Amino acid sequence: MSLLDDVAKLESEALERISTADSLDSLRELEFRFLGRKGPINTILKNLKDLSIDERKLVGAKANETRGRLEALLNERIATFESGGQEAAFDPTLPGTGQRQGVVHILNQVMGEICTVFHGMGFEIAHGPHVETDYYNFGALNFPPDHPARDEQDTFFVEGGRVLRTHTTPVQPRELEKRKPPIKLIMPGRTFRHEEITTRSHISFHQVDGFLVDEHISIADLKGTLVAFCRAFYGERLKYRFRPTFFPFTEPSIEIDITCFLCEGKGCQLCKYAGWLEILGSGMIHPNVLEKAGWDPEKYTGFAFGMGVERQAMLKYKINDIRLFFNSNVRFLRQFV
Ligand code: DAH
């Protein structure tokens, strides 16, 4: 039947033109031409009354179907253009829309730098669990049962008598039990403390611990290793000083300060006018720690150290608020590309 053929021809022509239209304007024009009030489909529908009943049904159905298909394709293509999906033909001479690249988070960068320096000195990397037993977090490290660090002020307690580790030092007794001297490890990772969140302290932060155990290890090894680290990380020219302090798991215990690299020792806001910046804790591993892990402290000795990653990053990059590391502000993070 010729009218049905006409509708079929019209449909294929319209579909072809709609699918190849290359602008919003030409799509609107095609919409008007094919589906407008005076367009061919409407004209056919309007004139159905002149046909026999049988023809009317067939042609009417076919014309409505065609209208549905054209509308669907038009709507789809118009929506694509309106959402900016496909502008005209691809023009390779237009300026690009620049893709921003993701970067490694500043904390991971700094943790990586610290590990790289020690790795270069032959230290291997080890990890331990965030949820730790009271024994490894405290007991194995020679904390007496009434030590204030066990107090709820500092520690998050988890059911089953466990804690969120308050430092990365518990990996030390874990590895001491598993390995044989010589042992030379660094242990980077996340730590947790029940602290008020301020510009300087947070409930979750990161540390890198390390230790070396073998026969005949002395405080000279500690000094050589840690001074080499400080120079590699903070620069060749820095001065350093060793200060006695107390940790339950080391004896003697030493804190290392470096000259403030901002004022070079003259005194400024960064070093709180002391001229020195405290950067890490260290010491000779306490004989009790070695003994609890099954090693004879008469035969084996070792040194250990631990430092806060946020603290090193804040000092090195002059960041004044620890919370900046955790609130995912892209404008902050992008500065460390
Ligand atoms: N665990 C200590 C802290 O969180 C840091 C530390 C000091 C680790 C001396 C050590 C060490 O391994 O020997 O403050």
Side-chain angles (χ1 to χ4, degrees):
M1 200 198 303
S2 88
L3 209 48
L4 279 181
D5 291 344
D6 288 351
V7 179
K9 236 170 94 188
L10 181 76
E11 178 175 321
S12 69
E13 187 200 331
L15 287 175
E16 161 84 24
R17 298 196 56 178
I18 295 167
S19 51
T20 55
D22 61 6
S23 73
L24 199 52
D25 280 349
S26 48
L27 283 169
R28 298 258 187 240
E29 199 182 293
L30 290 169
E31 184 177 35
F32 178 75
R33 163 129 39 117
F34 291 106
L35 298 176
R37 208 154 45 86
K38 293 192 175 155
I41 308 267
N42 263 344
T43 310
I44 290 168
L45 290 169
K46 230 181 281 170
N47 296 335
L48 284 179
K49 60 183 184 313
D50 300 335
L51 303 176
S52 68
I53 294 198
D54 287 348
E55 275 183 324
R56 210 182 285 174
K57 270 195 195 154
L58 278 172
V59 176
K62 177 77 185 162
N64 275 322
E65 239 174 62
T66 295
R67 182 164 62 185
R69 281 199 203 108
L70 300 188
E71 271 173 2
L73 184 61
L74 272 164
N75 289 342
E76 182 192 315
R77 295 224 56 213
I78 287 172
T80 312
F81 274 103
E82 283 180 344
S83 64
Q86 204 178 345
E87 284 302 329
F90 173 64
D91 180 351
T93 65
L94 288 174
T97 48
Q99 299 289 318
R100 283 198 193 270
Q101 229 183 337
V103 293
V104 176
H105 192 285
I106 179 64
L107 279 181
N108 284 331
Q109 287 186 40
V110 171
M111 196 132 84
E113 275 176 57
I114 297 170
C115 290
T116 303
V117 175
F118 285 107
H119 198 240
M121 293 192 269
F123 284 73
E124 261 183 79
I125 295 185
H127 295 283
H130 292 174
V131 179
E132 192 47 285
T133 59
D134 181 88
Y135 177 71
Y136 286 116
N137 199 78
F138 298 120
L141 291 169
N142 198 38
F143 279 79
D146 56 352
H147 193 277
R150 287 167 179 263
D151 192 284
E152 287 165 88
Q153 294 305 309
D154 301 308
T155 309
F156 283 116
F157 293 94
V158 181
E159 70 244 14
R162 291 175 303 167
V163 300
L164 292 184
R165 67 176 179 192
T166 57
H167 48 181
T168 41
T169 317
V171 190
Q172 182 183 307
R174 280 182 174 276
E175 296 296 325
L176 275 173
E177 286 174 8
K178 269 195 278 191
R179 300 180 190 237
K180 279 195 171 66
I183 312 175
K184 207 173 170 187
L185 292 175
I186 35 168
M187 300 95 78
R190 191 167 180 185
T191 52
F192 308 85
R193 283 192 202 171
H194 191 274
E195 298 239 25
E196 199 187 338
I197 298 175
T198 67
T199 54
R200 307 245 127 214
S201 63
H202 208 285
I203 53 169
S204 173
F205 53 102
H206 299 77
Q207 291 188 335
V208 176
D209 252 71
F211 72 98
L212 189 163
V213 170
D214 201 357
E215 291 177 45
H216 315 298
I217 297 299
S218 76
I219 208 161
D221 298 295
L222 177 156
K223 188 174 167 185
T225 306
L226 295 182
V227 169
F229 163 74
C230 293
R231 294 218 155 115
F233 190 77
Y234 284 106
E236 286 296 326
R237 284 182 45 225
L238 65 83
K239 293 204 186 94
Y240 54 85
R241 82 179 174 189
F242 282 31
R243 222 171 358 87
T245 185
F246 174 80
F247 299 111
F249 37 89
T250 45
E251 182 56 41
S253 301
I254 299 163
E255 257 168 354
I256 302 184
D257 299 339
I258 59 173
T259 29
C260 177
F261 40 76
L262 197 58
C263 63
E264 301 198 323
K266 289 184 202 81
C268 69
Q269 231 179 344
L270 183 70
C271 60
K272 298 198 191 93
Y273 301 95
W276 295 97
L277 297 165
E278 182 229 310
I279 56 159
L280 56 83
S282 66
M284 298 307 290
I285 298 178
H286 199 291
N288 289 354
V289 174
L290 293 169
E291 207 168 325
K292 279 176 201 276
W295 298 107
D296 176 3
E298 294 297 326
K299 184 163 177 209
Y300 295 104
T301 47
F303 69 84
F305 54 91
M307 67 191 94
V309 181
E310 283 79 359
R311 179 161 174 82
Q312 313 305 320
M314 287 170 84
L315 292 176
K316 195 164 175 179
Y317 297 101
K318 305 182 182 74
I319 298 163
N320 60 8
D321 190 334
I322 194 171
R323 293 169 294 194
L324 285 165
F325 293 114
F326 306 113
N327 61 13
S328 302
N329 180 339
V330 178
R331 281 159 60 229
F332 167 73
L333 296 173
R334 242 188 232 133
Q335 297 176 77
F336 307 102
V337 175

